[in-house]
Amino acid sequence: MATKWINRLCLIIVFCIVFSGVAVHSPNEAKAQGYYQKATWLWNTERIRSNPQDVLSFLTQNQVNLVYLQVNIDIPVSYYRSFIKESGARGIHVEALDGAPQWGLETERYRITNFLSWVQAYQNGAAAAEKFSGLHVDIEPHVLPQWKTDQTGVIRQWQSNVIYLGQEAAKLNLSLSADIPFWLGNYYTADGKATLSRFMIGQYDSVTIMSYRDTAAAIYSIAKKELEDATALGKKAFAAVETKPSNEGDFLTFYEEGADYMNEQLVLLHELAKVNPSYTGIAIHDFDGWKSLK
């Protein structure tokens, strides 16, 4: 039993060493110097108003240096400014997060435009230390009913909207990243000329691969192809894990195993994934689920 806990402690120490150094570097500097990023999603934006110090303490304690923060227009901009400024002081970058399955449809592009307009207005009114460092989107049109009835049509519209997103992000001078499922390479673009995975990775500056499994070997196995695609395209990629309960099976999440076991597996995952030049770090979904782990 003593040996087991010593080994576990050693793995956690290694994990902290690998990721802690990145906090004082920008993303590009970090990767160039051999450091890696550790990201999480903060969907419950109310937290930056109700208890921002609790959020910041958890992020700092867990060596997080990148947060995808859900844009909630009901939260006054003063809370965003304060949270981003305090995050920056701790070496934590904050990206504006939004998205929905409907963002894959051209008839719903106004949703994307509304998001971009809010971000533009926010950036224009924020001091340098209060600005978002990038945009992060979660678009999963494969859950729409149209995916079953007109898959090629949905894919065409999805591609079109993503191109639009990239153009608008460039105008805002912001990086653009996205969540993508690990199986995206099983589908093709509307014209059939490339895998959907290759197309999507090519449109973004960085992708977060939703490689949800509960062992390092399984996570890397399903993320490997997209990490390789990202390398070939000169893009950055995160391997992502889940902490919330899943109705698709216990093997998709660390909810049952808890935080200590997850940290062990993340150390092993890092060692497996870092052979890919595209590999930028690990993303943990999400803040609430992670904080609630036993």
Side-chain angles (χ1 to χ4, degrees):
M1 181 65 71
T3 301
K4 174 184 176 182
W5 282 104
I6 290 172
N7 290 339
R8 173 170 287 182
L9 179 61
C10 289
L11 281 167
I12 293 172
I13 291 172
V14 169
F15 187 66
C16 291
I17 291 172
V18 168
F19 288 98
S20 62
V22 72
V24 296
H25 300 280
S26 72
N28 290 334
E29 291 172 333
K31 189 66 190 295
Q33 297 181 30
Y35 296 101
Y36 293 84
Q37 291 181 272
K38 190 177 181 185
T40 193
W41 290 257
L42 182 54
W43 292 104
N44 182 10
T45 318
E46 178 61 35
R47 282 186 177 274
I48 72 169
R49 174 163 59 179
S50 62
N51 200 343
Q53 291 306 315
D54 180 60
V55 174
L56 290 165
S57 294
F58 182 84
L59 297 175
T60 301
Q61 290 166 8
N62 288 279
Q63 296 85 42
V64 173
N65 45 39
L66 177 60
V67 175
Y68 311 135
L69 176 63
Q70 167 76 54
V71 167
N72 180 345
I73 62 174
D74 294 329
I75 304 293
V77 295
S78 59
Y79 291 99
Y80 289 95
R81 291 172 180 169
S82 176
F83 180 77
I84 293 173
K85 185 176 181 178
E86 290 194 50
S87 295
R90 297 172 183 239
I92 302 169
H93 296 267
V94 181
E95 296 183 353
L97 166 67
D98 209 349
Q102 291 83 359
W103 282 31
L105 303 177
E106 290 177 324
T107 55
E108 303 293 315
R109 184 176 289 183
Y110 72 90
R111 298 175 185 267
I112 299 173
T113 302
N114 289 344
F115 166 65
L116 294 169
S117 295
W118 187 94
V119 172
Q120 181 176 28
Y122 175 85
Q123 297 288 89
N124 289 343
E130 300 166 346
K131 294 179 185 290
F132 288 102
S133 62
L135 304 175
H136 189 91
V137 297
D138 187 311
I139 308 171
E140 301 184 52
H142 53 87
V143 303
L144 296 172
Q146 296 94 316
W147 184 264
K148 295 181 179 179
T149 59
D150 183 19
Q151 189 176 101
T152 300
V154 172
I155 288 174
R156 179 189 59 77
Q157 295 178 75
W158 186 8
Q159 290 180 249
S160 176
N161 280 2
V162 168
I163 291 171
Y164 170 74
L165 258 170
Q167 293 169 340
E168 296 303 308
K171 293 177 185 177
L172 294 173
N173 197 29
L174 287 172
S175 62
L176 179 63
S177 61
D179 305 326
I180 61 171
F182 70 87
W183 44 256
L184 206 57
N186 295 333
Y187 296 88
Y188 285 82
T189 52
D191 62 9
K193 293 182 178 180
T195 64
L196 198 50
S197 174
R198 279 252 176 173
F199 173 85
M200 291 298 173
I201 293 171
Q203 300 304 310
Y204 296 109
D205 297 296
S206 172
V207 292
T208 303
I209 306 164
M210 295 184 286
S211 46
Y212 297 163
R213 293 291 186 271
D214 62 4
T215 68
I219 296 163
Y220 182 63
S221 175
I222 61 176
K224 187 172 183 288
K225 182 61 172 67
E226 284 180 326
L227 285 168
E228 291 172 347
D229 282 348
T231 294
L233 294 166
K235 302 291 184 172
K236 298 184 292 183
F238 288 81
V241 299
E242 179 66 278
T243 61
K244 289 189 160 186
S246 171
N247 57 15
E248 297 179 48
D250 293 348
F251 63 94
L252 272 73
T253 173
F254 287 103
Y255 175 76
E256 295 81 14
E257 294 86 356
D260 288 344
Y261 175 80
M262 181 180 76
N263 288 334
E264 292 176 14
Q265 294 304 307
L266 294 185
V267 173
L268 300 174
L269 172 61
H270 174 76
E271 292 304 310
L272 291 170
K274 70 180 184 180
V275 300
N276 298 278
S278 64
Y279 171 70
T280 303
I282 290 168
I284 300 171
H285 188 272
D286 63 358
F287 180 90
D288 286 354
W290 185 7
K291 197 170 189 298
S292 298
L293 281 183
K294 61 185 177 184

